[in-house]
Amino acid sequence: MTFKFPNWKSRWKRKQKISCHEDLSQKQIESFDRFLIDGTNSVLKALEGFFSQKIDNSSSRIEISYADNNTILENLGRGTLYTVKCNIDGDLRGSIILLLRSMDFKRLSDIMKPILSLLFLSSPDTDLAELESQKPHWMKDSGAGRAGDTVFYNQMMDLLAEMGNVLVGVYTKSIYQSFDLNTHHGLPEVLRDIDQREVRQYLALAQNEERVQLAIENEIEVMDQSFKLCCLISPSEESFHTMLNTVDAR
């Protein structure tokens, strides 16, 4: 496996956005740098496994801010979002949500459609007529209209749930490696959030509880398709201080 990070130092951006009572020390900032690098490397490896393709290019950045002050979220716009959400527990308590814009979900679908098609193929010596009969409707040249689209959409939502489960696990592992905090996550909830109601409720809860958001944006290019994946890690206020304290204790 090979990954390309052209101009890594100049293209990778970190913005420290604590604007209220929290002032991060240089040591604490460096810990989030390490977390971003470790998490991003692991995310790319996981995605390459899903795509069965090499990642051609990527860039990442992290913002640490309260819910009402985050440029990464502003860049998501107001359109439909595809979300994967789950709670985290253990040494670190809070929640994680993965966000894909509608256009990014479409690009992900374009990448995954031929790969999902391979799941229905048999051995190389299978008779072509038999192979054609095994294809789902959305693969056949004749097409199946909306029914075929619905089948493929359901396939993609299932894949998004599986991918989200793996990526959340990747981030919780990176939390352990960066902050020595054992964290596990619950079952992911996958949703097409048409009017962003769920996301607004999520952010409102975080804002009311004065939770700090670790917002990570990964922009990934594979098979001539580029899409953005946003991960929001929202630890409780107590958990965020625990993260900082583990860094200071080293």
Side-chain angles (χ1 to χ4, degrees):
M1 294 184 181
T2 59
F3 301 95
K4 299 178 182 178
F5 301 97
N7 301 320
W8 171 259
K9 291 184 178 179
S10 61
R11 292 195 59 183
W12 172 55
K13 305 172 185 176
R14 173 196 38 82
K15 295 184 179 180
Q16 188 247 326
K17 297 284 288 183
I18 298 295
S19 57
C20 293
H21 61 282
E22 295 291 351
D23 292 317
L24 298 185
S25 67
Q26 185 61 36
K27 186 177 182 181
Q28 291 165 345
I29 291 174
E30 289 173 356
S31 71
F32 288 108
D33 286 351
R34 291 191 297 270
F35 168 68
L36 176 63
I37 293 173
D38 180 78
T40 296
N41 286 336
S42 298
V43 164
L44 294 180
K45 290 178 183 178
L47 289 178
E48 188 172 65
F50 272 94
F51 301 149
S52 299
Q53 295 285 339
K54 293 179 181 178
I55 303 294
D56 299 319
N57 199 356
S58 70
S59 62
S60 302
R61 64 185 178 118
I62 186 171
E63 284 189 2
I64 306 169
S65 68
Y66 291 107
D68 59 345
N69 184 22
N70 195 307
T71 62
I72 288 178
L73 294 179
E74 291 173 359
N75 292 337
L76 293 175
R78 298 183 179 180
T80 297
L81 296 176
Y82 288 82
T83 67
V84 181
K85 181 175 64 175
C86 59
N87 293 324
I88 51 176
D89 208 340
D91 294 339
L92 187 71
R93 297 176 182 271
S95 56
I96 295 182
I97 183 170
L98 302 175
L99 302 169
L100 275 175
R101 298 173 300 177
S102 182
M103 67 179 73
D104 294 317
F105 182 80
K106 172 64 169 60
R107 290 167 181 167
L108 183 63
S109 298
D110 291 340
I111 294 171
M112 295 308 301
K113 193 163 189 174
I115 298 168
L116 288 174
S117 300
L118 292 175
L119 297 177
F120 295 91
L121 300 181
S122 300
S123 61
D125 57 351
T126 301
D127 180 76
L128 290 180
E130 179 183 350
L131 183 61
E132 182 66 23
S133 69
Q134 294 175 356
K135 290 183 179 180
H137 290 301
W138 52 265
M139 281 181 59
K140 295 181 178 179
D141 295 335
S142 59
R146 292 185 177 179
D149 291 341
T150 299
V151 170
F152 179 64
Y153 173 80
N154 290 335
Q155 291 272 352
M156 278 302 303
M157 293 298 282
D158 289 344
L159 182 80
L160 187 59
E162 181 182 354
M163 187 175 77
N165 190 55
V166 170
L167 295 186
V168 170
V170 163
Y171 280 119
T172 54
K173 182 179 179 181
S174 294
I175 289 171
Y176 175 74
Q177 293 175 334
S178 300
F179 302 100
D180 294 328
L181 296 175
N182 253 319
T183 304
H184 55 271
H185 64 91
L187 292 175
E189 176 186 357
V190 183
L191 182 69
R192 183 186 181 204
D193 195 359
I194 297 176
D195 56 5
Q196 296 194 14
R197 182 182 305 172
E198 292 291 326
V199 171
R200 288 199 302 269
Q201 290 177 350
Y202 175 89
L203 295 176
L205 176 63
Q207 185 173 343
N208 290 339
E209 297 181 357
E210 295 188 339
R211 287 191 180 189
V212 169
Q213 303 276 342
L214 279 62
I216 303 167
E217 180 187 81
N218 287 308
E219 185 168 4
I220 298 159
E221 183 180 335
V222 59
M223 296 175 61
D224 297 323
Q225 294 283 354
S226 177
F227 68 93
K228 289 184 178 181
L229 173 68
C230 178
C231 176
L232 287 183
I233 303 176
S234 181
S236 66
E237 185 176 7
E238 179 182 358
S239 292
F240 182 68
H241 284 289
T242 299
M243 295 174 75
L244 301 183
N245 291 337
T246 60
V247 174
D248 292 338
R250 292 175 181 172

